[in-house]
Amino acid sequence: MIQLTRPAAVLTDMDGTLVDTERAWLAVVGRLREDTCGLDAFAGLTIQDAARRLVEEGRRALSYEDTAAWLDREFSASVAAGVRVQPGALRLLDGARALGVPVALVTASERHVAELVVKALGADRFTALVTNGDTPRGKPHPDPYLRAARLLGAAPQDCLAVEDTPTGAAAALAAGCALLAVPSVPGITPGPRTTVVASLAEVTLGRGPR
């Protein structure tokens, strides 16, 4: 078990990190592309960024608007059908709450999708919610994490971000956060501010002072 220093706040990604929806998202993208090669590049992307990339690839004769709408509809339906909580996710959230550490959800998903997941996980586990469109720029830019830290009244450098994709990891590190990574796709490496684990079940938050 790895014990991490108690942070001022936990800022956690959703898809692939707390719930096993990253694979569902990639499956939706794969159906539209009719090809699974290179799907990892779509991990952590917003619907808008994914739609732009798909249109640029020219795999299907759909407009940007139709592509974005299709992705939103199909992924929302997948999440509404039910999600599987990742191992250790609830223990980490409840451990933070027991220590008085606030938690913000920081996701590239649309708000209506995030609200479905928050309802499944328990809304009382979260103090704030930052979703796609809440900031001028999304991940991999730091804006979502900076906003989450502000909402919780914490300095970004005192926060622990939890992520599963290189896109999200880049955003968290650019914001100045410490990073706990539980990769769902390749591309995240350990570093001075990055702890990489195979499962959130391997981690606990320390009770001592920051």
Side-chain angles (χ1 to χ4, degrees):
M1 183 71 68
I2 299 173
Q3 186 175 82
L4 299 177
T5 302
R6 179 178 175 267
V10 172
L11 316 177
T12 179
D13 175 60
M14 182 180 78
D15 298 307
T17 302
L18 297 181
V19 288
D20 188 21
T21 47
E22 196 71 65
R23 287 190 296 179
W25 162 248
L26 294 179
V28 167
V29 174
R31 292 208 308 273
L32 193 60
R33 292 176 86 230
E34 297 179 337
D35 184 1
T36 59
C37 182
L39 272 184
D40 287 354
F42 289 84
L45 294 186
T46 65
I47 283 173
Q48 292 76 21
D49 287 343
R52 276 189 285 271
R53 183 170 293 187
L54 287 165
V55 171
E56 289 169 1
E57 287 184 350
R59 299 295 188 94
R60 298 285 291 271
L62 294 176
S63 68
Y64 162 78
E65 291 77 11
D66 288 344
T67 300
W70 191 92
L71 291 171
D72 187 20
R73 182 176 65 251
E74 295 300 312
F75 183 56
S76 297
S78 176
V79 174
V83 297
R84 183 177 70 84
V85 181
Q86 296 284 57
L90 295 184
R91 187 173 62 80
L92 181 66
L93 295 175
D94 291 342
R97 180 168 56 180
L99 293 173
V101 175
V103 177
L105 190 70
V106 187
T107 178
S109 284
E110 302 297 306
R111 181 163 289 266
H112 61 268
V113 173
E115 287 174 346
L116 288 172
V117 174
V118 166
K119 183 177 180 180
L121 295 176
D124 59 327
R125 290 187 164 101
F126 303 94
T127 302
L129 179 60
V130 179
T131 63
N132 183 34
D134 288 345
T135 55
R137 302 178 301 176
K139 302 173 186 179
H141 300 287
D143 305 32
Y145 278 104
L146 294 175
R147 176 176 173 82
R150 284 196 301 271
L151 289 173
L152 298 186
Q157 63 269 23
D158 294 331
C159 295
L160 175 68
V162 191
E163 275 286 355
D164 72 304
T165 68
T167 299
L173 292 173
C177 302
L179 174 64
L180 171 63
V182 53
S184 61
V185 294
I188 305 176
T189 57
R193 288 188 290 131
T194 302
T195 301
V196 179
V197 295
S199 167
L200 293 179
E202 300 175 11
V203 178
T204 186
L205 297 179
R207 294 184 173 274
R210 295 188 302 276

